[in-house]
Amino acid sequence: MTSTTEQLSATTLLRFATAGSVDDGKSTLVGRLLHDSKSVLADQLEAVEHASRSRGQEAPDLALLTDGLRAEREQGITIDVAYRYFATPRRRFILADTPGHVQYTRNMVTGASTAELTVVLVDARNGVVEQTRRHAAIAALLRVPHVVLAVNKMDLVGYEEPVFAKIAKEFTAYASELGVPEITAIPISALAGDNVVEPSAHMDWYGGPTVLEHLETVPVSHDLTGCHARFPVQYVIRPQTAEHPDYRGYAGQIAAGTFRVGERVTVLPSGRTSTIAGIDLLGEPVDVAWTPQSVTLLLADDIDISRGDLIVPSGDAPATTQDIEATVCHVADQPLAVGQRVLLKHTTRTVKAIVKEIPSKLTLDDLSQHPAPGQLVANDIGRVRVRTAEPLAMDAYADSRRTGSFLLIDPADGTTLAAGMAGESFATARAAAPEADDEGWDF
């Protein structure tokens, strides 16, 4: 008989995030998914039932399965990203339930930065609102390949098809203009369970999949071995012991691609070249290693290498530059202004930088660009040009979500100011999005 562990190891993994406006029912949807897919332990459900009764509710409030912080439970809102893990016989899932309030948009950036699918919820009574457009824009910029529009609370509009059709048409037109490659619209009632796990008996006019059925069947791929090979150096290992007097290894996690013993590599930004003399994986030598393994590379030549350097195949090295042009999502309370001095964190490297120009800011209503805004404030999406004090080897975000992304940080207190995507704009985002990476941001 096949064990549960063997069954789970044979299934694929899907990372997905939920997004939407306040009170659209994101946490309730996630709770319904967990409950109806039998992924809730008895003691968890008992705790939710007890908390619901203490708040005067007769039925269990399934949103409490994800609202884990005390402030969230007391206020009835989602504040931080709540990660949950569950599985069905067909697939394993890591979900990120992200907040709906405008001031927590940065948490949506965190949750969606590693997602291969985003579920955007819309209240059927309110339709597409500004926060819906903001979340669609973020999903497009982060190149999330699959977006599900879940039109929630259909029970409150009499399960009427025209209401769903109007919202689906408006959102699909907007998201397509942003460059989202795949959009699936599903009418649901998270509270009643319609079309979440089981098909609805109230919407016979809808013949598409339920939310869970779509999550189980949407195509995903984690094969990043064919991407540009990139190895950011995390730590230099020099034990200098009698047993290993000459050992010098470079430890880190392979960001993308594959490395092999005997391969010719280049160290950036210095541009010096060498050959991989050995690869240590979990203390054992191997001939080949691939993403996302954490390994130690040994080079044939004694080269000055430190944390933040990037080791790449000599025939596939990105250009180094001190001038970065990118689209950023501003996530801090304090504004980002032209002339501001910041720190730029790219993979394991952090360098000083200055904001040279903010060419434009995105207007979410009509996707127009507001020229030369002078600064970006919380939740703004805009273009920036940054000059770094040292050269960086940065890929375009379209080629790699890991080595094409960066953070702008306040040098005074370490606050994350903005999450950036090198070379990315809505003009380029309208091309087909690449397959999702496994790395993302965390503020």
Side-chain angles (χ1 to χ4, degrees):
M1 180 180 293
T2 304
S3 67
T4 302
T5 302
E6 291 172 336
Q7 290 176 342
L8 291 178
S9 64
T11 61
T12 57
L13 171 68
L14 174 70
R15 290 177 171 86
F16 72 99
T18 61
S21 297
V22 179
D23 295 330
D24 278 350
K26 299 175 300 301
S27 296
T28 302
L29 171 63
V30 173
R32 175 64 65 182
L33 275 172
L34 295 173
H35 179 270
D36 288 8
S37 63
K38 311 258 188 308
S39 300
V40 181
L41 298 177
D43 58 340
Q44 292 176 308
L45 186 58
E46 183 179 345
V48 167
E49 291 173 344
H50 176 74
S52 300
R53 286 194 300 269
S54 67
R55 294 166 58 174
Q57 297 171 301
E58 295 182 3
D61 184 356
L62 298 180
L64 297 179
L65 289 170
T66 56
D67 289 338
L69 300 178
R70 172 180 289 183
E72 295 177 325
R73 294 194 298 268
E74 291 176 350
Q75 298 178 53
I77 64 173
T78 301
I79 295 175
D80 202 359
V81 182
Y83 290 97
R84 291 295 180 267
Y85 309 85
F86 70 101
T88 68
R90 303 178 69 177
R91 181 166 279 176
R92 293 174 293 141
F93 301 95
I94 299 176
L95 65 90
D97 180 32
T98 67
H101 286 70
V102 172
Q103 64 265 38
Y104 301 127
T105 299
R106 59 187 177 185
N107 301 83
M108 191 267 177
V109 176
T110 298
S113 63
T114 58
E116 294 129 334
L117 181 146
T118 294
V119 179
V120 178
L121 271 81
V122 172
D123 189 324
R125 300 168 299 175
N126 301 328
V128 176
V129 297
E130 181 183 2
Q131 190 71 337
T132 310
R133 291 189 288 268
R134 179 176 284 110
H135 287 152
I138 291 173
L141 280 173
L142 294 178
R143 290 185 174 262
V144 179
H146 309 283
V147 171
V148 173
L149 171 67
V151 181
N152 193 23
K153 305 188 181 182
M154 288 295 295
D155 54 314
L156 300 182
V157 294
Y159 297 104
E160 295 182 4
E161 181 181 8
V163 175
F164 167 74
K166 180 182 178 181
I167 296 173
K169 181 179 180 181
E170 181 181 355
F171 180 87
T172 300
Y174 183 85
S176 298
E177 181 67 15
L178 290 171
V180 176
E182 181 182 283
I183 305 158
T184 302
I186 304 175
I188 69 169
S189 170
L191 186 64
D194 293 286
N195 285 337
V196 178
V197 173
E198 300 295 334
S200 173
H202 303 98
M203 292 180 279
D204 53 5
W205 46 264
Y206 173 74
T210 64
V211 173
L212 182 60
E213 183 181 355
H214 183 71
L215 294 176
E216 288 182 323
T217 57
V218 66
V220 296
S221 174
H222 304 289
D223 185 13
L224 301 175
T225 58
C227 301
H228 304 287
R230 303 289 185 260
F231 182 79
V233 176
Q234 178 80 21
Y235 185 71
V236 179
I237 300 177
R238 295 192 66 187
Q240 295 181 314
T241 62
E243 185 180 358
H244 303 285
D246 300 321
Y247 187 96
R248 185 182 179 95
Y250 309 101
Q253 183 183 48
I254 300 175
T258 303
F259 289 89
R260 292 177 171 82
V261 173
E263 183 177 11
R264 196 71 179 168
V265 293
T266 298
V267 180
L268 298 174
S270 69
R272 295 182 179 274
T273 61
S274 185
T275 301
I276 298 178
I279 302 175
D280 288 346
L281 174 64
L282 299 177
E284 299 293 334
V286 296
D287 293 328
V288 60
W290 52 84
T291 184
Q293 291 176 331
S294 295
V295 299
T296 301
L297 298 186
L298 292 83
L299 303 186
D301 302 286
D302 188 8
I303 300 176
D304 183 13
I305 300 175
S306 59
R307 173 184 168 87
D309 287 347
L310 190 68
I311 299 177
V312 302
S314 293
D316 186 24
T320 58
T321 182
Q322 291 180 257
D323 295 296
I324 309 296
E325 183 168 356
T327 292
V328 300
C329 297
H330 191 66
V331 299
D333 294 329
Q334 63 264 46
L336 180 72
V338 174
Q340 187 170 345
R341 297 186 181 277
V342 297
L343 296 177
L344 189 152
K345 186 180 186 303
H346 174 249
T347 63
T348 58
R349 188 178 185 87
T350 302
V351 299
K352 294 180 180 178
I354 185 171
V355 180
K356 299 293 289 184
E357 187 181 358
I358 303 179
S360 62
K361 181 180 73 173
L362 179 69
T363 302
L364 291 172
D365 288 335
D366 57 4
L367 299 181
S368 63
Q369 297 287 343
H370 177 71
Q375 67 177 17
L376 299 176
V377 298
N379 301 312
D380 278 349
I381 298 173
R383 299 285 292 168
V384 300
R385 293 192 178 99
V386 179
R387 173 79 174 179
T388 60
E390 304 170 31
L392 292 176
M394 189 177 295
D395 289 297
Y397 187 80
D399 296 328
S400 172
R401 290 175 78 178
R402 170 74 190 277
T403 55
S405 61
F406 62 89
L407 297 176
L408 296 182
I409 300 170
D410 187 338
D413 58 10
T415 300
T416 298
L417 300 173
M421 293 137 280
E424 197 69 358
S425 68
F426 281 107
T428 57
R430 285 169 185 154
E435 291 176 345
D437 206 327
D438 286 347
E439 282 296 332
W441 297 298
D442 192 3
F443 305 118

